[in-house]
Amino acid sequence: MIESFAEGFLLGLGAAIPLGPINILIMNTALKNYKSAVVIGIGAMSSDMFYLILILVGMIELINNPFFINIVGIVGSFFLTYLAYDIYKHREKKINVKKEAIKSKSLLKIYAKGFFLTLMNPYTIIFWFSVAGYSANRDLNLYFTLFGMISSIVLWITLMPYLVHKSKHKISQNMSIYLNIFSSFILLCFALMLFVDVVFL
């Protein structure tokens, strides 16, 4: 049980820490508002859990279908492009959100960004298939492995944006604009790579 949890914890860190689209979005948001960044992370984790549930209930054939994965990849590339444009469009905007304002529609919209960004990433599907196969081959307890993974992901999506948010006072307005432009560019690169992988490879 301890071994299953420990390996799951490390697998979760391996999935959460690499610099991908969701981490770029969380970091960019954390510079403006910590709670919003955490909500994006929760949305991403919910999407992970959605795919995991599909695997556990036996819908492997559907989500392992190349046509389905290609559709997910194409939609995902367009969604990434939209996020890149949205960040670039608001690159000079200072966001001073009152606590009362980060509720209802705002929180739902923020949550949806994290959820759909992860949902529309075919690499998410591949990752969870790999985890399921790894757990089976290692004869690990699947539920303790998953608990370990969820624990490390929750730790990451709360601690990482906290550290970014606390260091925001060291970042000038001009630097913030440059970071937004850079984040937008990186997300656009991810969108192009995803589209090329799906359409041409």
Side-chain angles (χ1 to χ4, degrees):
M1 290 182 182
I2 295 176
E3 180 185 1
S4 297
F5 177 85
E7 293 202 26
F9 191 87
L10 293 175
L11 277 171
L13 288 180
I17 291 177
L19 192 64
I22 196 67
N23 276 335
I24 292 289
L25 187 60
I26 289 174
M27 289 176 187
N28 185 271
T29 305
L31 290 173
K32 304 175 182 82
N33 186 277
Y34 171 70
K35 181 190 281 188
S36 297
V38 173
V39 170
I40 288 174
I42 293 171
M45 189 172 69
S46 300
S47 185
D48 285 332
M49 295 302 101
F50 173 75
Y51 277 129
L52 178 61
I53 290 169
L54 290 184
I55 292 172
L56 291 178
V57 298
M59 297 187 68
I60 292 178
E61 289 185 8
L62 170 65
I63 58 179
N64 198 31
N65 185 297
F67 178 76
F68 175 79
I69 292 177
N70 286 343
I71 292 297
V72 167
I74 291 171
V75 175
S77 67
F78 282 108
F79 187 64
L80 274 171
T81 303
Y82 160 74
L83 289 178
Y85 168 73
D86 190 56
I87 290 174
Y88 182 78
K89 184 174 70 173
H90 297 102
R91 63 191 180 279
E92 297 183 20
K93 184 178 179 182
K94 281 188 175 182
I95 300 181
N96 297 313
V97 185
K98 295 180 180 179
K99 287 184 179 180
E100 302 81 34
I102 314 175
K103 290 181 181 178
S104 60
K105 291 182 181 179
S106 297
L107 272 183
L108 188 60
K109 186 177 179 181
I110 292 164
Y111 172 87
K113 281 186 179 181
F115 182 83
F116 286 110
L117 178 56
T118 304
L119 188 74
M120 294 294 105
N121 187 349
Y123 299 111
T124 303
I125 305 172
I126 295 169
F127 172 76
W128 284 108
F129 269 114
S130 301
V131 168
Y134 178 84
S135 299
N137 290 330
R138 291 276 293 154
D139 197 28
L140 298 173
N141 184 303
L142 180 61
Y143 295 102
F144 277 93
T145 303
L146 293 177
F147 181 62
M149 292 184 68
I150 292 170
S151 299
S152 59
I153 292 171
V154 168
L155 180 65
W156 177 255
I157 65 174
T158 52
L159 183 60
M160 181 270 284
Y162 177 79
L163 295 175
V164 172
H165 185 71
K166 284 300 180 181
S167 63
K168 70 175 183 177
H169 65 279
K170 299 178 181 178
I171 299 174
S172 66
Q173 177 63 14
N174 284 338
M175 180 62 71
S176 177
I177 293 172
Y178 294 140
L179 285 173
N180 281 338
I181 293 173
F182 180 71
S183 297
S184 178
F185 175 74
I186 293 296
L187 288 179
L188 186 60
C189 286
F190 277 118
L192 291 173
M193 286 189 296
L194 182 55
F195 187 81
V196 169
D197 282 350
V198 170
V199 175
F200 298 105
L201 299 181

